[in-house]
Amino acid sequence: MIYLVEDDENIRELVTYALKSMGLEAESFETPSLFWTAMSKNLPSLVLLDIMLPEEDGLTILKKLKRTQGTSTIPVIMLSAKSSEIDKVNGFELGADDYIAKPFGVMELVARVKARLRDGKEEKRFEYNVGPLYVCPEKHIVTVNGVGVNLTYKEFEILCMLLKNMDIVLTRDQLLNTIWGYSFDGESRTVDVHIRTLRQKLGVAGELIETVRGIGYKIGK
């Protein structure tokens, strides 16, 4: 699935049609809020992201995607009428995988999307099997003893971060900063609440998440 965030209706419809006509699944969003809502339900294989957007600009969205563990590896192609070198440099420094300046040829865009998707398939796929727990971050799959478990976006990110840092104790601040972002002004108890519901949903596998008193949480090997 490819997500396109573009406030120009004509461009949005044209690009979405072109992608679908080439056999690719695509959804488009006029505003960042609609995009984030979709992201909380399903993660895409690639994001096409305009820079000049209402609510928040594309570079801010890019920064959030790349600093969050659950979305940091999703390829992002920037689309922008800004074509100066400094604009491109800023995008690449924030983690953009490609940059296409407007106006662009639709067939070129589709070709670059396909090229980026091929690159992603060549990367190693990570899966985790710990006791009764199986997690595939790429496919957003979580099962316990073969039975699927439905997690919220944040719960899934916490679980993946703990698995990625197996046997390492992660503090509440580390979890907050990585998953909620440094600008989050809530309480560290937010982590505790999410851990509690995560354990409940995982059932017998919830016991894998260990509390290290006074420090944080970990999943042991």
PDB file of all heavy atoms in Angstrom, residues 161-186:
ATOM      1  N   MET A 161       9.912  -2.142  19.930  1.00  0.00           N
ATOM      2  CA  MET A 161      11.102  -1.526  20.510  1.00  0.00           C
ATOM      3  C   MET A 161      11.718  -2.426  21.580  1.00  0.00           C
ATOM      4  O   MET A 161      12.945  -2.568  21.671  1.00  0.00           O
ATOM      5  CB  MET A 161      10.747  -0.165  21.104  1.00  0.00           C
ATOM      6  CG  MET A 161      11.959   0.655  21.540  1.00  0.00           C
ATOM      7  SD  MET A 161      11.519   2.336  21.996  1.00  0.00           S
ATOM      8  CE  MET A 161      13.128   2.928  22.568  1.00  0.00           C
ATOM      9  N   LEU A 162      10.872  -3.058  22.385  1.00  0.00           N
ATOM     10  CA  LEU A 162      11.376  -3.982  23.406  1.00  0.00           C
ATOM     11  C   LEU A 162      12.033  -5.199  22.764  1.00  0.00           C
ATOM     12  O   LEU A 162      13.073  -5.669  23.214  1.00  0.00           O
ATOM     13  CB  LEU A 162      10.234  -4.420  24.328  1.00  0.00           C
ATOM     14  CG  LEU A 162       9.664  -3.352  25.270  1.00  0.00           C
ATOM     15  CD1 LEU A 162       8.402  -3.858  25.940  1.00  0.00           C
ATOM     16  CD2 LEU A 162      10.695  -2.936  26.312  1.00  0.00           C
ATOM     17  N   LEU A 163      11.427  -5.707  21.702  1.00  0.00           N
ATOM     18  CA  LEU A 163      11.982  -6.875  21.004  1.00  0.00           C
ATOM     19  C   LEU A 163      13.293  -6.528  20.307  1.00  0.00           C
ATOM     20  O   LEU A 163      14.233  -7.324  20.296  1.00  0.00           O
ATOM     21  CB  LEU A 163      10.967  -7.408  19.989  1.00  0.00           C
ATOM     22  CG  LEU A 163       9.741  -8.110  20.579  1.00  0.00           C
ATOM     23  CD1 LEU A 163       8.677  -8.324  19.514  1.00  0.00           C
ATOM     24  CD2 LEU A 163      10.143  -9.437  21.214  1.00  0.00           C
ATOM     25  N   LYS A 164      13.356  -5.352  19.716  1.00  0.00           N
ATOM     26  CA  LYS A 164      14.577  -4.933  19.025  1.00  0.00           C
ATOM     27  C   LYS A 164      15.740  -4.793  20.002  1.00  0.00           C
ATOM     28  O   LYS A 164      16.900  -5.007  19.655  1.00  0.00           O
ATOM     29  CB  LYS A 164      14.337  -3.604  18.308  1.00  0.00           C
ATOM     30  CG  LYS A 164      15.526  -3.132  17.482  1.00  0.00           C
ATOM     31  CD  LYS A 164      15.195  -1.835  16.753  1.00  0.00           C
ATOM     32  CE  LYS A 164      16.387  -1.364  15.928  1.00  0.00           C
ATOM     33  NZ  LYS A 164      16.082  -0.096  15.211  1.00  0.00           N
ATOM     34  N   ASN A 165      15.410  -4.437  21.252  1.00  0.00           N
ATOM     35  CA  ASN A 165      16.447  -4.252  22.282  1.00  0.00           C
ATOM     36  C   ASN A 165      16.365  -5.383  23.311  1.00  0.00           C
ATOM     37  O   ASN A 165      16.413  -5.148  24.513  1.00  0.00           O
ATOM     38  CB  ASN A 165      16.256  -2.894  22.968  1.00  0.00           C
ATOM     39  CG  ASN A 165      16.463  -1.735  22.019  1.00  0.00           C
ATOM     40  OD1 ASN A 165      17.577  -1.315  21.764  1.00  0.00           O
ATOM     41  ND2 ASN A 165      15.366  -1.204  21.477  1.00  0.00           N
ATOM     42  N   MET A 166      16.256  -6.606  22.803  1.00  0.00           N
ATOM     43  CA  MET A 166      16.119  -7.775  23.659  1.00  0.00           C
ATOM     44  C   MET A 166      17.172  -7.818  24.753  1.00  0.00           C
ATOM     45  O   MET A 166      18.362  -7.621  24.505  1.00  0.00           O
ATOM     46  CB  MET A 166      16.229  -9.044  22.815  1.00  0.00           C
ATOM     47  CG  MET A 166      15.771 -10.299  23.517  1.00  0.00           C
ATOM     48  SD  MET A 166      14.018 -10.590  23.323  1.00  0.00           S
ATOM     49  CE  MET A 166      13.910 -10.975  21.579  1.00  0.00           C
ATOM     50  N   ASP A 167      16.726  -8.054  25.981  1.00  0.00           N
ATOM     51  CA  ASP A 167      17.590  -8.170  27.153  1.00  0.00           C
ATOM     52  C   ASP A 167      18.168  -6.846  27.622  1.00  0.00           C
ATOM     53  O   ASP A 167      18.987  -6.824  28.544  1.00  0.00           O
ATOM     54  CB  ASP A 167      18.735  -9.166  26.916  1.00  0.00           C
ATOM     55  CG  ASP A 167      18.522 -10.460  27.688  1.00  0.00           C
ATOM     56  OD1 ASP A 167      17.536 -10.548  28.441  1.00  0.00           O
ATOM     57  OD2 ASP A 167      19.337 -11.381  27.544  1.00  0.00           O
ATOM     58  N   ILE A 168      17.786  -5.748  26.994  1.00  0.00           N
ATOM     59  CA  ILE A 168      18.244  -4.414  27.411  1.00  0.00           C
ATOM     60  C   ILE A 168      17.085  -3.702  28.101  1.00  0.00           C
ATOM     61  O   ILE A 168      15.973  -3.656  27.576  1.00  0.00           O
ATOM     62  CB  ILE A 168      18.712  -3.578  26.202  1.00  0.00           C
ATOM     63  CG1 ILE A 168      19.905  -4.256  25.524  1.00  0.00           C
ATOM     64  CG2 ILE A 168      19.072  -2.157  26.616  1.00  0.00           C
ATOM     65  CD1 ILE A 168      20.351  -3.569  24.253  1.00  0.00           C
ATOM     66  N   VAL A 169      17.350  -3.140  29.261  1.00  0.00           N
ATOM     67  CA  VAL A 169      16.307  -2.422  29.994  1.00  0.00           C
ATOM     68  C   VAL A 169      16.125  -1.041  29.377  1.00  0.00           C
ATOM     69  O   VAL A 169      17.078  -0.267  29.262  1.00  0.00           O
ATOM     70  CB  VAL A 169      16.679  -2.274  31.485  1.00  0.00           C
ATOM     71  CG1 VAL A 169      15.566  -1.524  32.219  1.00  0.00           C
ATOM     72  CG2 VAL A 169      16.910  -3.634  32.119  1.00  0.00           C
ATOM     73  N   LEU A 170      14.913  -0.747  28.955  1.00  0.00           N
ATOM     74  CA  LEU A 170      14.598   0.561  28.388  1.00  0.00           C
ATOM     75  C   LEU A 170      13.869   1.392  29.432  1.00  0.00           C
ATOM     76  O   LEU A 170      12.892   0.938  30.035  1.00  0.00           O
ATOM     77  CB  LEU A 170      13.713   0.408  27.142  1.00  0.00           C
ATOM     78  CG  LEU A 170      14.324  -0.389  25.981  1.00  0.00           C
ATOM     79  CD1 LEU A 170      13.319  -0.479  24.831  1.00  0.00           C
ATOM     80  CD2 LEU A 170      15.614   0.255  25.496  1.00  0.00           C
ATOM     81  N   THR A 171      14.355   2.599  29.653  1.00  0.00           N
ATOM     82  CA  THR A 171      13.711   3.473  30.636  1.00  0.00           C
ATOM     83  C   THR A 171      12.412   4.039  30.072  1.00  0.00           C
ATOM     84  O   THR A 171      12.181   4.024  28.860  1.00  0.00           O
ATOM     85  CB  THR A 171      14.630   4.644  31.015  1.00  0.00           C
ATOM     86  OG1 THR A 171      14.795   5.509  29.871  1.00  0.00           O
ATOM     87  CG2 THR A 171      15.992   4.146  31.465  1.00  0.00           C
ATOM     88  N   ARG A 172      11.590   4.547  30.955  1.00  0.00           N
ATOM     89  CA  ARG A 172      10.344   5.171  30.514  1.00  0.00           C
ATOM     90  C   ARG A 172      10.628   6.363  29.604  1.00  0.00           C
ATOM     91  O   ARG A 172       9.919   6.595  28.625  1.00  0.00           O
ATOM     92  CB  ARG A 172       9.528   5.605  31.730  1.00  0.00           C
ATOM     93  CG  ARG A 172       8.971   4.428  32.545  1.00  0.00           C
ATOM     94  CD  ARG A 172       8.312   4.897  33.831  1.00  0.00           C
ATOM     95  NE  ARG A 172       7.711   3.785  34.564  1.00  0.00           N
ATOM     96  CZ  ARG A 172       8.405   2.949  35.339  1.00  0.00           C
ATOM     97  NH1 ARG A 172       9.728   3.102  35.453  1.00  0.00           N
ATOM     98  NH2 ARG A 172       7.800   1.970  35.981  1.00  0.00           N
ATOM     99  N   ASP A 173      11.664   7.122  29.942  1.00  0.00           N
ATOM    100  CA  ASP A 173      12.017   8.284  29.120  1.00  0.00           C
ATOM    101  C   ASP A 173      12.450   7.860  27.724  1.00  0.00           C
ATOM    102  O   ASP A 173      12.122   8.526  26.730  1.00  0.00           O
ATOM    103  CB  ASP A 173      13.141   9.095  29.780  1.00  0.00           C
ATOM    104  CG  ASP A 173      12.639   9.925  30.950  1.00  0.00           C
ATOM    105  OD1 ASP A 173      11.412  10.133  31.039  1.00  0.00           O
ATOM    106  OD2 ASP A 173      13.466  10.361  31.768  1.00  0.00           O
ATOM    107  N   GLN A 174      13.195   6.764  27.608  1.00  0.00           N
ATOM    108  CA  GLN A 174      13.610   6.275  26.291  1.00  0.00           C
ATOM    109  C   GLN A 174      12.398   5.890  25.452  1.00  0.00           C
ATOM    110  O   GLN A 174      12.333   6.202  24.264  1.00  0.00           O
ATOM    111  CB  GLN A 174      14.547   5.069  26.445  1.00  0.00           C
ATOM    112  CG  GLN A 174      15.949   5.414  26.918  1.00  0.00           C
ATOM    113  CD  GLN A 174      16.792   4.171  27.141  1.00  0.00           C
ATOM    114  OE1 GLN A 174      16.350   3.204  27.758  1.00  0.00           O
ATOM    115  NE2 GLN A 174      18.023   4.192  26.649  1.00  0.00           N
ATOM    116  N   LEU A 175      11.456   5.220  26.073  1.00  0.00           N
ATOM    117  CA  LEU A 175      10.248   4.814  25.362  1.00  0.00           C
ATOM    118  C   LEU A 175       9.412   6.039  24.965  1.00  0.00           C
ATOM    119  O   LEU A 175       8.916   6.126  23.844  1.00  0.00           O
ATOM    120  CB  LEU A 175       9.419   3.868  26.231  1.00  0.00           C
ATOM    121  CG  LEU A 175      10.029   2.474  26.443  1.00  0.00           C
ATOM    122  CD1 LEU A 175       9.339   1.748  27.581  1.00  0.00           C
ATOM    123  CD2 LEU A 175       9.927   1.646  25.165  1.00  0.00           C
ATOM    124  N   LEU A 176       9.292   6.984  25.875  1.00  0.00           N
ATOM    125  CA  LEU A 176       8.530   8.202  25.588  1.00  0.00           C
ATOM    126  C   LEU A 176       9.153   8.989  24.441  1.00  0.00           C
ATOM    127  O   LEU A 176       8.466   9.399  23.496  1.00  0.00           O
ATOM    128  CB  LEU A 176       8.454   9.096  26.835  1.00  0.00           C
ATOM    129  CG  LEU A 176       7.381   8.775  27.875  1.00  0.00           C
ATOM    130  CD1 LEU A 176       7.561   9.646  29.105  1.00  0.00           C
ATOM    131  CD2 LEU A 176       5.986   8.969  27.292  1.00  0.00           C
ATOM    132  N   ASN A 177      10.464   9.213  24.525  1.00  0.00           N
ATOM    133  CA  ASN A 177      11.143  10.030  23.522  1.00  0.00           C
ATOM    134  C   ASN A 177      11.132   9.402  22.141  1.00  0.00           C
ATOM    135  O   ASN A 177      11.001  10.084  21.128  1.00  0.00           O
ATOM    136  CB  ASN A 177      12.590  10.302  23.947  1.00  0.00           C
ATOM    137  CG  ASN A 177      12.685  11.209  25.155  1.00  0.00           C
ATOM    138  OD1 ASN A 177      11.764  11.972  25.440  1.00  0.00           O
ATOM    139  ND2 ASN A 177      13.789  11.125  25.881  1.00  0.00           N
ATOM    140  N   THR A 178      11.282   8.065  22.094  1.00  0.00           N
ATOM    141  CA  THR A 178      11.334   7.381  20.803  1.00  0.00           C
ATOM    142  C   THR A 178       9.958   7.235  20.175  1.00  0.00           C
ATOM    143  O   THR A 178       9.784   7.461  18.974  1.00  0.00           O
ATOM    144  CB  THR A 178      11.967   5.985  20.965  1.00  0.00           C
ATOM    145  OG1 THR A 178      13.286   6.135  21.498  1.00  0.00           O
ATOM    146  CG2 THR A 178      12.056   5.279  19.615  1.00  0.00           C
ATOM    147  N   ILE A 179       8.969   6.879  20.970  1.00  0.00           N
ATOM    148  CA  ILE A 179       7.649   6.558  20.429  1.00  0.00           C
ATOM    149  C   ILE A 179       6.696   7.753  20.405  1.00  0.00           C
ATOM    150  O   ILE A 179       5.979   7.969  19.433  1.00  0.00           O
ATOM    151  CB  ILE A 179       7.034   5.388  21.222  1.00  0.00           C
ATOM    152  CG1 ILE A 179       7.899   4.134  21.016  1.00  0.00           C
ATOM    153  CG2 ILE A 179       5.586   5.127  20.797  1.00  0.00           C
ATOM    154  CD1 ILE A 179       7.518   2.963  21.853  1.00  0.00           C
ATOM    155  N   TRP A 180       6.720   8.553  21.469  1.00  0.00           N
ATOM    156  CA  TRP A 180       5.845   9.724  21.493  1.00  0.00           C
ATOM    157  C   TRP A 180       6.542  10.989  20.971  1.00  0.00           C
ATOM    158  O   TRP A 180       5.900  11.928  20.573  1.00  0.00           O
ATOM    159  CB  TRP A 180       5.331   9.969  22.910  1.00  0.00           C
ATOM    160  CG  TRP A 180       4.146   9.123  23.262  1.00  0.00           C
ATOM    161  CD1 TRP A 180       2.833   9.449  23.147  1.00  0.00           C
ATOM    162  CD2 TRP A 180       4.158   7.788  23.800  1.00  0.00           C
ATOM    163  NE1 TRP A 180       2.033   8.418  23.569  1.00  0.00           N
ATOM    164  CE2 TRP A 180       2.818   7.388  23.980  1.00  0.00           C
ATOM    165  CE3 TRP A 180       5.171   6.903  24.152  1.00  0.00           C
ATOM    166  CZ2 TRP A 180       2.474   6.136  24.493  1.00  0.00           C
ATOM    167  CZ3 TRP A 180       4.830   5.664  24.656  1.00  0.00           C
ATOM    168  CH2 TRP A 180       3.499   5.281  24.820  1.00  0.00           C
ATOM    169  N   GLY A 181       7.876  10.992  20.997  1.00  0.00           N
ATOM    170  CA  GLY A 181       8.619  12.154  20.507  1.00  0.00           C
ATOM    171  C   GLY A 181       9.049  13.063  21.645  1.00  0.00           C
ATOM    172  O   GLY A 181       8.427  13.105  22.711  1.00  0.00           O
ATOM    173  N   TYR A 182      10.130  13.792  21.419  1.00  0.00           N
ATOM    174  CA  TYR A 182      10.688  14.653  22.453  1.00  0.00           C
ATOM    175  C   TYR A 182       9.748  15.790  22.857  1.00  0.00           C
ATOM    176  O   TYR A 182       9.862  16.360  23.922  1.00  0.00           O
ATOM    177  CB  TYR A 182      12.017  15.244  21.978  1.00  0.00           C
ATOM    178  CG  TYR A 182      13.122  14.222  21.878  1.00  0.00           C
ATOM    179  CD1 TYR A 182      13.391  13.574  20.684  1.00  0.00           C
ATOM    180  CD2 TYR A 182      13.881  13.885  22.996  1.00  0.00           C
ATOM    181  CE1 TYR A 182      14.392  12.614  20.590  1.00  0.00           C
ATOM    182  CE2 TYR A 182      14.871  12.926  22.918  1.00  0.00           C
ATOM    183  CZ  TYR A 182      15.133  12.287  21.709  1.00  0.00           C
ATOM    184  OH  TYR A 182      16.115  11.341  21.628  1.00  0.00           O
ATOM    185  N   SER A 183       8.824  16.138  21.973  1.00  0.00           N
ATOM    186  CA  SER A 183       7.920  17.252  22.259  1.00  0.00           C
ATOM    187  C   SER A 183       6.733  16.823  23.126  1.00  0.00           C
ATOM    188  O   SER A 183       5.913  17.642  23.526  1.00  0.00           O
ATOM    189  CB  SER A 183       7.400  17.865  20.954  1.00  0.00           C
ATOM    190  OG  SER A 183       6.692  16.908  20.195  1.00  0.00           O
ATOM    191  N   PHE A 184       6.633  15.526  23.424  1.00  0.00           N
ATOM    192  CA  PHE A 184       5.513  15.030  24.227  1.00  0.00           C
ATOM    193  C   PHE A 184       5.581  15.615  25.631  1.00  0.00           C
ATOM    194  O   PHE A 184       6.614  15.555  26.307  1.00  0.00           O
ATOM    195  CB  PHE A 184       5.574  13.497  24.298  1.00  0.00           C
ATOM    196  CG  PHE A 184       4.459  12.875  25.106  1.00  0.00           C
ATOM    197  CD1 PHE A 184       3.173  12.831  24.602  1.00  0.00           C
ATOM    198  CD2 PHE A 184       4.699  12.346  26.365  1.00  0.00           C
ATOM    199  CE1 PHE A 184       2.144  12.254  25.328  1.00  0.00           C
ATOM    200  CE2 PHE A 184       3.681  11.769  27.102  1.00  0.00           C
ATOM    201  CZ  PHE A 184       2.391  11.724  26.573  1.00  0.00           C
ATOM    202  N   ASP A 185       4.476  16.224  26.073  1.00  0.00           N
ATOM    203  CA  ASP A 185       4.480  16.875  27.384  1.00  0.00           C
ATOM    204  C   ASP A 185       3.630  16.139  28.413  1.00  0.00           C
ATOM    205  O   ASP A 185       3.263  16.689  29.442  1.00  0.00           O
ATOM    206  CB  ASP A 185       4.003  18.329  27.257  1.00  0.00           C
ATOM    207  CG  ASP A 185       2.600  18.428  26.651  1.00  0.00           C
ATOM    208  OD1 ASP A 185       2.007  17.367  26.357  1.00  0.00           O
ATOM    209  OD2 ASP A 185       2.106  19.565  26.492  1.00  0.00           O
ATOM    210  N   GLY A 186       3.314  14.879  28.123  1.00  0.00           N
ATOM    211  CA  GLY A 186       2.537  14.079  29.069  1.00  0.00           C
ATOM    212  C   GLY A 186       3.412  13.479  30.155  1.00  0.00           C
ATOM    213  O   GLY A 186       4.601  13.768  30.265  1.00  0.00           O
TER     214      GLY A 186
END
